[in-house]
């Protein structure tokens, strides 16, 4: 099955700093890739996704590009805000669109942004 | 307004005492999932329903059961909780069989004493 590996956290940044959270995956075929975010006290919510190689997902200033050659989907943001403090999860569906869209998650990266 | 609702937010049970966690949704989605998330680990899929079709993950212990009496509700039953079952339990829904996004509830944090 799939596996997803994220950079270990926690990550602590000052406001307006540049953010990168690395994510790599192993899968047969071409999975769809996702970033989910979990704010304190809330459930996970989709941040962005990409469904094929070279696609770029973007939302709220965050971006990630599906890199098939490096099997990566790194999350970036040019200028983080305090409100971005959360846990970020990289995830992949089973390649080939297995029914029910079963997701495999990475272990999550805690991001803390200080004023 | 919350679309996937999990109750309670925090649940404490005793070792070996059966416990039920509940999830309801207002989205009318076909698919409902239960994930277990232990501290600093990835959410792990326990099982899911497509309508009434139940799908158990191969490594989900028999101690974990689920019921889905109708589209809106899904329950997670832990028959004899052990200390190792203390975790956050996440319910999620999805509209269909493709790669649509999942909608998550806020989770239930289970403690086992």
């Amino acid at each position: 099955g799939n596996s997803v590996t994220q950079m270990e956290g926690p990550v602590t940044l000052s406001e307006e700093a540049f953010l990168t959270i690395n994510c790599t995956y192993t899968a047969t075929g071409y999975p769809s890739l996702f970033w989910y975010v979990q704010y304190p006290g809330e459930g996970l919510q989709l941040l962005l996704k990409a469904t094929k190689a070279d696609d770029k997902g973007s939302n709220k200033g965050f971006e990630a590009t599906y890199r098939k050659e490096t099997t990566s989907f790194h999350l970036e943001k040019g200028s983080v805000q305090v409100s971005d403090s959360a846990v970020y999860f990289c995830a992949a569906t089973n390649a080939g669109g297995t029914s029910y869209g079963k997701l495999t998650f990475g272990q999550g990266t805690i991001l803390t942004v200080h004023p | 307004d919350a679309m996937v609702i999990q109750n309670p937010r925090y649940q404490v049970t005793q070792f070996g005492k059966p416990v039920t966690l509940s999830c309801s949704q207002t989205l009318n989605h076909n698919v409902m999932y239960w994930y277990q998330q232990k501290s600093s680990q990835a959410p792990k899929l326990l099982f899911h329903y497509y309508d009434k079709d139940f799908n158990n993950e191969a490594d989900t212990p028999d101690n974990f059961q689920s019921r889905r009496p109708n589209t809106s509700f899904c329950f997670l039953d832990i028959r004899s909780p052990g200390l190792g079952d203390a975790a956050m339990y996440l319910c999620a829904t999805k509209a269909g069989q493709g790669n649509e996004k999942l909608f998550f509830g806020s989770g239930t944090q289970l403690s086992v004493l």
Side-chain angles (χ1 to χ4, degrees):
Chain A
N2 290 357
S3 69
V4 177
T5 303
Q6 292 180 232
M7 69 182 282
E8 297 225 1
V11 174
T12 303
L13 296 173
S14 298
E15 208 164 24
E16 299 184 1
F18 184 85
L19 168 71
T20 300
I21 302 177
N22 290 341
C23 172
T24 57
Y25 66 91
T26 58
T28 53
Y30 304 101
S32 292
L33 302 174
F34 304 80
W35 277 99
Y36 280 81
V37 60
Q38 186 174 30
Y39 297 104
E42 299 182 15
L44 280 73
Q45 54 186 279
L46 180 67
L47 180 60
L48 52 84
K49 74 174 189 180
T51 57
K52 61 183 187 296
D54 299 325
D55 266 3
K56 177 186 284 187
S58 61
N59 186 26
K60 299 181 181 180
F62 291 89
E63 294 183 340
T65 301
Y66 190 142
R67 300 287 187 199
K68 177 174 172 291
E69 62 278 12
T70 54
T71 62
S72 65
F73 193 55
H74 304 323
L75 182 68
E76 296 182 338
K77 186 174 185 181
S79 177
V80 293
Q81 305 300 313
V82 172
S83 57
D84 294 326
S85 299
V87 184
Y88 292 81
F89 291 91
C90 186
T93 56
N94 282 2
T98 300
S99 61
Y100 316 131
K102 176 181 171 181
L103 278 179
T104 299
F105 285 93
Q107 76 272 28
T109 301
I110 300 171
L111 170 65
T112 303
V113 180
H114 293 298
Chain B
D1 290 338
M3 295 176 285
V4 182
I5 302 163
Q6 291 188 243
N7 284 307
R9 183 74 176 88
Y10 299 94
Q11 176 72 56
V12 180
T13 190
Q14 293 178 335
F15 183 94
K17 182 176 182 181
V19 65
T20 295
L21 309 182
S22 70
C23 177
S24 63
Q25 56 139 333
T26 60
L27 298 164
N28 204 36
H29 283 172
N30 297 104
V31 192
M32 294 187 78
Y33 303 85
W34 279 105
Y35 284 86
Q36 179 193 62
Q37 184 183 14
K38 295 188 176 180
S39 180
S40 302
Q41 296 184 23
K44 177 180 177 299
L45 183 62
L46 296 173
F47 24 60
H48 68 273
Y49 279 92
Y50 183 81
D51 291 330
K52 286 193 173 293
D53 183 17
F54 177 71
N55 297 271
N56 200 29
E57 293 300 300
D59 56 354
T60 298
D62 292 340
N63 196 26
F64 291 84
Q65 303 287 318
S66 185
R67 296 171 284 133
R68 190 179 186 186
N70 53 51
T71 299
S72 299
F73 287 88
C74 194
F75 300 98
L76 169 62
D77 301 309
I78 308 176
R79 293 192 296 188
S80 181
L83 298 179
D85 297 327
M88 174 72 82
Y89 290 88
L90 301 170
C91 175
T93 72
K94 192 164 72 69
Q97 296 190 43
N99 291 324
E100 305 93 334
K101 69 179 183 181
L102 271 65
F103 290 80
F104 282 85
S106 298
T108 294
Q109 182 68 49
L110 177 68
S111 299
V112 181
L113 304 180

